[in-house]
Amino acid sequence: MQAKQNQAFRVEGVSKMFGAFQALNDVSLGVSHGEILAIIGPNGAGKTTFVNIVSGVFGPSKGRVLLEGSDITAFSPQRRTRLGLSRTFQITSLFGDMTVAEHMQLAVRGGDPHGDERAELLEQMGLAGSVARPVDTLSHGDQRILEMAMALATKPKVLLLDEPTAGMSVAETDTMIQLICDRLRGKVGVIVIEHDMNVVTQTSDRVTVLAAGAVAASGSPEEVLRDPLVKELYLGSAAGH
Amino acid sequence: MRDRAGILISLAILLALCVAAPVVGEFWSGVFARCVTWMFLAISFTLAYSYANIPSVAQATVFGAGAYAAIWLAPTLQGNVTLMLLAGTVAGGLVAAVFGLLLLRMSHSGAAIGAIIFAVTGSILGNAAVSVTGGADGLPLPALNFHLLGVVVAAGPNNTMLVLSTALLAILLIGFWYVSGTSTWRIVRAVQQNPVRAQVLGYNAALFRVVVFTVAGCVAGLGGALYALISRHVAIDVVSLSMSLKSILWAAVGGVTSVYGGPIGVLLVQLASEILARWTVRVDLIIGVMLVLIALWLPQGIMGLLKRPDRH
């Protein structure tokens, strides 16, 4: 109980109904400061609904969302960000006609007036040479890295990464894995929604499996990957026998 | 992102109007002066549509609110033009704030329909309240000694009012040019392009949209107050849906993605209409063909010609 109270982020008994369809059913999970939690699950498992409830796009039908013990269930997305809950998007979501520098200026919201922190962050993320470039001229991988740089510039306590390697090449994926491990592990609580099991095993401390809107399994990456139910969900019924 | 070419072209056009007016005579001075008031309306539509992301076809209703406020309050304000213009601006802003708060609760397409309902309702109510609005016959500007900062000015379609209108529009455009280079305007652009993304960065997207829409209303209201002073008369057709549609036409011809496009669109369409009316009765048909051609070959309007095709 003490461990749960100290978690950076927690959802408790979250359910979501869309008409008669139950997208999430009594989901409870949490992430501690500096920990990386991966959430996996087949299509239709409720991952997108979970992301939208966590980030405040819509509210749950039942249950609570807690950030450092405070109930933020009714808070707007912008208020959640200001309190330290940031996110990236599954589909790259940038402002097409703005430069990398303008994106970072937006992300710091008037903080960092001299741009030192922004410059350092872009240097660490490998984007220092692209500061003046419009984002629509960046490669897909660099756009995803910029999204993460923007999320970090908001100084999050908890970061939600929605399929951070979606659409990336093998080399770009390796770079992203490296960034997650170097820049995030031990620093902020991270929830990664991911399909790529290679990314999950290399980055996460714990894994939670969602299936049909409910938590089907939870544990270390090794434990979860050995779970017959998970094998069945990912590899089909033959794998479970 | 300040558009230097846009502001220079706009200011050059306004200057050209003021220089040409004494040469071309009283009739054209009046046409120019009315055109300048409609430029406020066209800019208002562009701000609402392109920056508040609200497809408002009720901007003429807001323009009319400014015009009627100026006429209603003229006797109380004893012909003080500054206060009349302020009254029109505030009236436009208030009406837009109410519309904006309601329209933001709707989806994008729902807001378009909602705005049509507002425009039609405004027109119907205006026609019904004849004692207040004058209905189709309209209300005349009271015969008063109008004065601006202690100087007596003659209301009507004359050079003085043209210079006053263009000066105010120039100040507005220069103000916009300045604001468009600030960090606040960067947030407006971000909200306009991707409100959900802007929210996740910590910005209140709905608040920014309402504020921009209200500012657009203030611009339309100021234009309406100037219109009342120049026309010396306001009738309910000013708040009609067809007037709103005209504002969309002007903005589309000039370029709906640029605030500087509206004035160009007004000038092109209205001057073409005035000139063509001397030769043919099929003015609307010709203007319609012109709009189709622009939609086909210049989808971003005249201002689209200034945009570089490749930034890579």
Side-chain angles (χ1 to χ4, degrees):
Chain A
M1 190 64 189
Q2 184 64 32
K4 282 182 182 178
Q5 283 175 347
N6 287 337
Q7 281 183 325
F9 176 81
R10 181 153 187 81
V11 294
E12 287 182 350
V14 164
S15 298
K16 181 68 183 177
M17 300 288 292
F18 293 107
F21 174 70
Q22 180 135 34
L24 285 180
N25 182 16
D26 196 25
V27 172
S28 294
L29 55 85
V31 65
S32 301
H33 293 282
E35 184 188 30
I36 300 179
L37 168 71
I39 296 180
I40 62 172
N43 288 334
K47 300 190 298 293
T48 302
T49 304
F50 177 80
V51 167
N52 285 330
I53 286 175
V54 169
S55 55
V57 175
F58 46 68
S61 307
K62 219 171 66 179
R64 298 195 305 162
V65 181
L66 305 166
L67 181 66
E68 292 191 318
S70 301
D71 191 340
I72 60 165
T73 314
F75 289 5
S76 63
Q78 64 266 20
R79 193 165 173 196
R80 290 177 195 219
T81 303
R82 289 193 184 129
L83 288 172
L85 175 62
S86 194
R87 70 168 286 190
T88 64
F89 288 80
Q90 182 181 354
I91 298 167
T92 311
S93 181
L94 298 169
F95 309 110
D97 69 343
M98 292 191 204
T99 63
V100 170
E102 286 181 304
H103 277 77
M104 294 302 285
Q105 283 163 356
L106 279 169
V108 297
R109 296 196 307 276
D112 188 26
H114 303 297
D116 300 339
E117 288 176 29
R118 277 172 279 160
E120 189 186 337
L121 197 51
L122 287 175
E123 181 73 42
Q124 288 168 353
M125 305 294 267
L127 290 174
S130 305
V131 172
R133 285 177 65 181
V135 293
D136 54 8
T137 68
L138 296 178
S139 69
H140 176 67
D142 281 349
Q143 288 182 355
R144 308 251 19 173
I145 290 170
L146 174 60
E147 281 213 305
M148 195 196 280
M150 290 167 70
L152 287 174
T154 66
K155 297 187 176 165
K157 294 166 185 163
V158 174
L159 180 55
L160 180 63
L161 302 177
D162 192 359
E163 300 203 20
T165 62
M168 280 185 163
S169 67
V170 174
E172 288 170 339
T173 301
D174 287 343
T175 304
M176 182 58 85
I177 290 171
Q178 203 62 44
L179 282 172
I180 292 172
C181 293
D182 294 348
R183 290 285 306 156
L184 305 180
R185 174 167 287 136
K187 297 180 177 96
V188 292
V190 180
I191 300 173
V192 188
I193 312 291
E194 187 54 71
H195 273 301
D196 187 334
M197 296 308 287
N198 180 41
V199 177
V200 171
T201 51
Q202 288 195 59
T203 59
S204 56
D205 301 309
R206 282 191 304 121
V207 179
T208 291
V209 184
L210 281 184
V215 174
S218 196
S220 70
E222 295 76 22
E223 286 169 352
V224 166
L225 288 176
R226 279 199 303 270
D227 190 314
L229 176 67
V230 176
K231 286 183 180 174
E232 189 173 322
L233 284 169
Y234 271 85
L235 304 173
S237 57
H241 297 291
Chain B
M1 199 164 66
R2 294 186 175 118
D3 181 356
R4 191 185 298 175
I7 183 71
L8 289 177
I9 290 170
S10 300
L11 293 179
I13 288 171
L14 295 180
L15 184 64
L17 287 180
C18 288
V19 170
V23 181
V24 294
E26 203 175 303
F27 171 79
W28 285 104
S29 296
V31 171
F32 291 169
R34 281 196 191 86
C35 280
V36 173
T37 66
W38 290 327
M39 288 175 188
F40 285 86
L41 178 55
I43 290 170
S44 168
F45 174 78
T46 301
L47 282 173
Y49 178 75
S50 295
Y51 295 100
N53 249 354
I54 298 176
S56 174
V57 291
Q59 289 313 96
T61 310
V62 182
F63 181 84
Y68 274 111
I71 282 202
W72 289 331
L73 293 173
T76 310
L77 300 174
Q78 298 175 328
N80 185 323
V81 171
T82 308
L83 293 180
M84 286 171 67
L85 295 177
L86 190 62
T89 306
V90 171
L94 284 174
V95 171
V98 173
F99 281 3
L101 287 169
L102 293 170
L103 293 173
L104 269 182
R105 302 180 75 85
M106 306 173 190
S107 65
H108 193 72
S109 52
I113 294 166
I116 292 172
I117 292 169
F118 288 155
V120 173
T121 305
S123 218
I124 292 170
L125 289 176
N127 270 313
V130 178
S131 59
V132 181
T133 64
D137 295 332
L139 290 178
L141 186 70
L144 297 164
N145 290 322
F146 293 99
H147 52 94
L148 175 70
L149 304 173
V151 179
V152 174
V153 291
N158 53 49
N159 285 341
T160 307
M161 290 309 297
L162 172 64
V163 171
L164 173 63
S165 304
T166 50
L168 287 172
L169 186 56
I171 291 167
L172 175 75
L173 290 172
I174 291 168
F176 174 78
W177 178 80
Y178 175 77
V179 170
S180 65
T182 62
S183 55
T184 305
W185 195 252
R186 188 180 302 122
I187 302 167
V188 170
R189 282 166 56 212
V191 168
Q192 177 258 327
Q193 287 185 39
N194 192 338
V196 174
R197 187 67 174 102
Q199 275 185 305
V200 169
L201 287 174
Y203 298 107
N204 188 336
L207 178 68
F208 272 91
R209 290 175 67 192
V210 167
V211 169
V212 172
F213 192 70
T214 303
V215 169
C218 290
V219 172
L222 176 59
L226 283 166
Y227 178 86
L229 281 163
I230 289 167
S231 296
R232 290 182 299 198
H233 175 267
V234 179
I236 205 66
D237 64 338
V238 170
V239 307
S240 66
L241 185 60
S242 69
M243 190 69 184
S244 282
L245 295 176
K246 266 189 181 174
S247 74
I248 298 173
L249 171 70
W250 297 326
V253 169
V256 80
T257 56
S258 169
V259 162
Y260 310 110
I264 296 172
V266 170
L267 213 56
L268 272 179
V269 173
Q270 291 311 119
L271 290 187
S273 300
E274 287 289 349
I275 293 165
L276 288 170
R278 292 158 185 256
W279 306 97
T280 175
V281 291
R282 294 187 178 86
V283 175
D284 288 345
L285 179 67
I286 295 169
I287 295 294
V289 170
M290 185 174 113
L291 181 63
V292 169
L293 293 176
I294 284 177
L296 284 173
W297 281 290
L298 281 175
Q300 293 196 36
I302 305 294
M303 287 304 291
L305 291 169
L306 297 178
K307 291 197 174 166
R308 282 174 288 172
D310 190 2
R311 294 180 303 168
H312 296 236

